[in-house]
Amino acid sequence: MSELIVQGKRYSCRGILFDKDGTLLDFIQLWGPWARSILDMMEQHLVVAGAGFTMEKGNILGTVHDQEGRVIGYDPSGPLAMGTVDESTGVLAWQLYTAGVPWNEAVRLVREFNKTAMADVRRHRAAKVFPGLRTLLEQSRRAGLKLAVVTSDSTEAAQEHLEWMGLTSYFDEIIGHDRVTYGKPDPEMAEKACALLGLSPADVVVIGDSNGDMQMGKRAGVRLAIGFAPEPERSGHLLDADKVVRRYKELEVRRA
């Protein structure tokens, strides 16, 4: 058994489950350009069809845009932050459907837009690790903790992003939405990760940036649910967190 020290308080644990986007890597750096790209393609197609979005552009996926159209923020409880690929596809396809595009064609178009946007993401590899994360992962490895990633992204995409950042070797398991029936905030993802790690949820800590992560952990019965909020205003969304931290330097792992 090892100890996770959170803001000076000690908690015994055997493993940590990390969310990916917004927790391991800077969300906006990776998904901001993707969201802008796919929304721009959607808008152009709608204009050609003589239509437009049924709501403010930023409300569709839960994004905040500057005057030049760049994505500079996001709603941590919105589709971009919490939705799966299929859910986001449905949200976007609905905009095309309301403009008169048949549903099957709307879904096909959104998938094509997604391929184009993801190709740009892969070309730029704009994923950025949060300061202090590597130190925490190194401490965890030395202390013998088992680590897993639990993400609403696909397992394949999560593996790819971790490889870009050189983090793959730290994690024993990567659980994407395609490896479970129900996504967050259902406990299935955390329960599956614990089972694969050979640990009881009561010996595991969850770290994530959304309240869905906190609810998933609580429903699975984890030892501690830690909300990660590098921007102060995001802490208000983490209603079910046991603890909220702004920096990884607020966390430390030691062998008990």
Side-chain angles (χ1 to χ4, degrees):
M1 187 75 75
S2 299
E3 288 183 334
L4 175 64
I5 304 172
V6 186
Q7 298 166 336
K9 188 171 181 178
R10 299 170 183 269
Y11 299 88
S12 60
C13 68
R14 297 182 184 276
I16 303 176
L17 310 183
F18 289 87
D19 171 51
K20 177 174 70 75
D21 299 317
T23 303
L24 294 179
L25 58 86
D26 188 305
F27 190 93
I28 289 298
Q29 288 286 326
L30 180 64
W31 293 112
W34 175 88
R36 178 182 183 178
S37 178
I38 200 166
L39 287 171
D40 284 351
M41 285 185 281
M42 289 278 298
E43 191 169 39
Q44 291 164 14
H45 190 88
L46 288 168
V47 168
V48 171
F53 291 124
T54 63
M55 60 183 74
E56 287 284 339
K57 189 174 184 178
N59 291 338
I60 297 167
L61 292 174
T63 51
V64 179
H65 301 249
D66 65 12
Q67 292 183 341
E68 284 73 43
R70 292 186 296 260
V71 178
I72 58 173
Y74 66 98
D75 176 5
S77 63
L80 181 63
M82 297 188 68
T84 64
V85 173
D86 288 341
E87 289 168 347
S88 295
T89 297
V91 168
L92 294 167
W94 175 255
Q95 294 296 314
L96 296 176
Y97 176 70
T98 58
V101 179
W103 180 253
N104 61 332
E105 176 65 7
V107 171
R108 186 194 69 78
L109 282 169
V110 171
R111 287 174 176 164
E112 287 299 318
F113 295 158
N114 179 50
K115 286 181 182 178
T116 300
M118 284 306 302
D120 288 339
V121 168
R122 289 189 177 95
R123 186 159 51 250
H124 294 101
R125 296 192 176 191
K128 185 175 74 174
V129 178
F130 283 105
L133 173 63
R134 293 184 193 276
T135 298
L136 181 66
L137 295 176
E138 286 288 349
Q139 291 173 352
S140 300
R141 182 158 61 183
R142 289 196 299 268
L145 290 185
K146 293 185 177 181
L147 306 180
V149 174
V150 286
T151 176
S152 296
D153 206 350
S154 70
T155 303
E156 182 180 10
Q159 290 172 331
E160 183 177 20
H161 300 158
L162 293 175
E163 287 171 5
W164 293 352
M165 298 181 291
L167 299 179
T168 309
S169 63
Y170 290 107
F171 296 98
D172 301 284
E173 291 289 342
I174 300 172
I175 311 295
H177 73 84
D178 50 300
R179 296 187 66 184
V180 295
T181 302
Y182 303 105
K184 304 172 186 178
D186 190 271
E188 183 185 6
M189 196 172 285
E191 292 169 346
K192 184 178 184 70
C194 289
L196 290 170
L197 295 175
L199 300 175
S200 165
D203 292 328
V204 168
V205 172
V206 164
I207 301 178
D209 73 317
S210 78
N211 203 49
D213 296 311
M214 305 299 98
Q215 292 173 331
M216 172 194 69
K218 288 293 189 68
R219 293 174 184 178
V222 300
R223 175 78 171 89
L224 194 70
I226 300 175
F228 181 64
E231 298 173 0
E233 60 270 23
R234 301 220 176 273
S235 61
H237 295 276
L238 297 163
L239 301 176
D240 292 293
D242 296 310
K243 292 281 188 178
V244 176
V245 300
R246 291 191 57 200
R247 302 286 183 268
Y248 277 111
K249 67 181 181 180
E250 296 177 53
L251 304 175
E252 182 182 355
V253 175
R254 293 181 183 175
R255 187 181 293 277

